[in-house]
Amino acid sequence: MARERTPASPSQAEPAPTTEPRSLLDNLRSAEHATALLALADLVGATESAGLVLPSLGMEIPVRGRTDFLVQLGGVPPETAARLAVLLRIGVAVVAAEEAAEPATVTHMWAPAVGDLVHDIAADKVGSFHGLDDAGRWLLRPPAGGEPWPVDPSGVRAADVSDRLRAEAALTTARHRAGRVG
């Protein structure tokens, strides 16, 4: 089916009203178009607030006589895709808790990017975030390298200045032991 691609922009609007009577199909198309534009604007706002840019985000406008508008996510760099996957997994837990009418057990509303330093509160260890395991726990790796360990996201906080100093000290010690001071 031939489609016209429209980039995401706030200037998208329904065409100016005409004096001709509108058919039921035209009214349905207008409602579907408005729904698609709202969904597109909501997605743009959500991704921007998460610090993500989806450069190919847009909407496909169907050929005349059809009403199936499609929001196109487009292509993104691997780092953006990985960050989006982390945010979606966290969001799934929140939505599932809300739908179950249970209080949300998620105590944080942030997601580190791969490589960000965080502090495992229970283990009192600093590690860099490396993704999720199959159980949805965050995988942290020691700053100087080594095996990652899983941790419940609710037991992790963002690394502060002292955590960053600990990480830098661990890296310096590891380099010194390996004979690569610097």
Side-chain angles (χ1 to χ4, degrees), residues 51-116:
L52 295 175
V53 176
L54 302 181
S56 303
L57 191 60
M59 183 173 59
E60 284 189 12
I61 300 174
V63 294
R64 180 128 181 98
R66 299 291 308 242
T67 60
D68 54 345
F69 290 88
L70 297 175
V71 174
Q72 293 291 320
L73 301 178
V76 296
E79 300 81 21
T80 301
R83 176 101 168 124
L84 186 57
V86 168
L87 293 170
L88 285 171
R89 285 189 182 102
I90 291 170
V92 166
V94 172
V95 169
E98 288 174 355
E99 288 176 351
E102 297 175 6
T105 56
V106 178
T107 58
H108 61 283
M109 293 307 296
W110 61 277
V114 171
D116 282 356

Side-chain angles (χ1 to χ4, degrees), residues 43-55:
L43 187 57
V44 167
T47 56
E48 285 178 354
S49 70
L52 295 175
V53 176
L54 302 181

Side-chain angles (χ1 to χ4, degrees), residues 4 8 16 20-21 26 30 38 44 48 58 62 68 78 114 138 148 153 169 177:
E4 175 184 330
E20 298 176 21
D26 286 340
S30 179
L38 288 173
V44 167
E48 285 178 354
D68 54 345
V114 171
W138 290 2
R177 287 185 180 150

Side-chain angles (χ1 to χ4, degrees), residues 1 3 20 25 32 34 42 45-46 58 66-67 76 91 95-96 102 116 135 145 159-160 167 173 175 180:
M1 168 187 328
R3 292 182 177 272
E20 298 176 21
L25 185 59
E32 291 288 326
D42 193 30
R66 299 291 308 242
T67 60
V76 296
V95 169
E102 297 175 6
D116 282 356
D160 61 20
T173 300
R175 285 184 192 127
R180 304 178 319 222

